[in-house]
Amino acid sequence: MVPRILIDTAKVPGGEGELRLMKRGADFLISLWGNELMNSRLSGSEKALATIACDRLRGRPKIRMLIGGLGMGFTLRAALAELPKDAEITVVELVPKVIDWARGPMAELFGDCLDDPRVTILERDVGEVIEETRGQWDAILMDVDNGPDGVVREANNRLYGRSGLDMARRALAPGGVLAYWSAASDQAFARRLSSNKGWHTDEIVSRANGAKGARHVIWVTTRL
């Protein structure tokens, strides 16, 4: 068996856990409390988060996209591959070391995407960014935790609550797309999304590794 090698650790602001960046062979892994949050071999659903949203934005000029959570950059790279040259992508990452890892140990994985002129990286709480903006974003893509039931830190729960959904709606431009990634289905959250007037919501199952791997969930909703 190929051993896991610990590369670095990172404290989560406002959380009690410690992120652990590890490498096993050519693969990178990020875990918390012994639970694997990300694996560089299993990127299918994170890429789908971007491609599904981008497909709904076809034909919109000068797209402005907000991505909550940098992670291993799967969603960012997929969005860059889909969006035109006049698009603007803002990635908000709460944990400073995750940004450092992207430019350091995982630089080969990220390639030159962080230096793409369409990309801005903010070291902030994405909830604060959403709360401060009105009608600004054509798309908001959320992958800040393991899903509506916060694992990384309890404060993330508010992003999936009624007030968080209201904030996101105000931050979106008319016809804007709001998409959430989750490791598993959550019926309470699905009902919360569907009950919002002025939204049309779909729940899409996406595999972690193409046609194989765990079944993850993407909720995508459009502001009508």
Side-chain angles (χ1 to χ4, degrees), residues 56-199:
R56 298 195 177 200
L57 295 170
R58 302 286 180 204
R60 287 178 76 103
K62 298 182 178 179
I63 293 168
R64 294 164 299 176
M65 175 179 285
L66 177 67
I67 299 177
L70 176 60
M72 292 184 174
F74 301 131
T75 301
L76 171 60
R77 294 194 295 279
L80 286 171
E82 295 284 338
L83 294 177
K85 292 183 179 180
D86 64 352
E88 298 176 7
I89 305 174
T90 300
V91 184
V92 184
E93 174 54 54
L94 179 70
V95 184
K97 274 200 173 181
V98 170
I99 302 173
D100 293 340
W101 294 344
R103 294 193 179 277
M106 295 193 294
E108 185 176 349
L109 184 64
F110 276 80
D112 59 359
C113 72
L114 298 182
D115 299 316
D116 190 295
R118 294 172 289 177
V119 176
T120 299
I121 306 294
L122 295 182
E123 183 187 307
R124 292 193 62 189
D125 182 331
V126 69
E128 294 177 356
V129 175
I130 292 173
E131 191 170 18
E132 293 170 1
T133 51
R134 294 290 185 276
Q136 178 172 334
W137 308 105
D138 296 293
I140 299 175
L141 278 53
M142 300 292 285
D143 184 9
V144 297
D145 213 306
N146 229 31
D149 185 13
V151 172
V152 176
R153 66 174 191 148
E154 188 174 346
N156 286 340
N157 290 335
R158 78 183 185 108
L159 298 172
Y160 302 90
R162 181 70 61 189
S163 63
L165 295 178
D166 289 343
M167 284 194 312
R169 186 178 192 278
R170 291 191 295 268
L172 280 174
V177 174
L178 175 63
Y180 292 83
W181 180 96
S182 178
S185 184
D186 187 303
Q187 294 306 307
F189 181 65
R191 287 192 297 271
R192 202 174 302 135
L193 272 174
S194 299
S195 66
N196 270 275
K197 294 181 179 179
W199 295 95

Side-chain angles (χ1 to χ4, degrees), residues 20-88:
R20 295 167 63 86
L21 174 64
M22 293 172 285
K23 194 172 185 182
R24 182 170 57 194
D27 302 324
F28 289 97
L29 306 93
I30 295 178
S31 67
L32 176 74
W33 304 113
N35 298 314
E36 188 176 293
L37 298 178
M38 284 165 267
N39 186 316
S40 59
R41 280 190 305 109
L42 306 173
S43 59
S45 58
E46 285 89 349
K47 292 176 182 176
L49 178 65
T51 56
I52 291 169
C54 289
D55 188 59
R56 298 195 177 200
L57 295 170
R58 302 286 180 204
R60 287 178 76 103
K62 298 182 178 179
I63 293 168
R64 294 164 299 176
M65 175 179 285
L66 177 67
I67 299 177
L70 176 60
M72 292 184 174
F74 301 131
T75 301
L76 171 60
R77 294 194 295 279
L80 286 171
E82 295 284 338
L83 294 177
K85 292 183 179 180
D86 64 352
E88 298 176 7

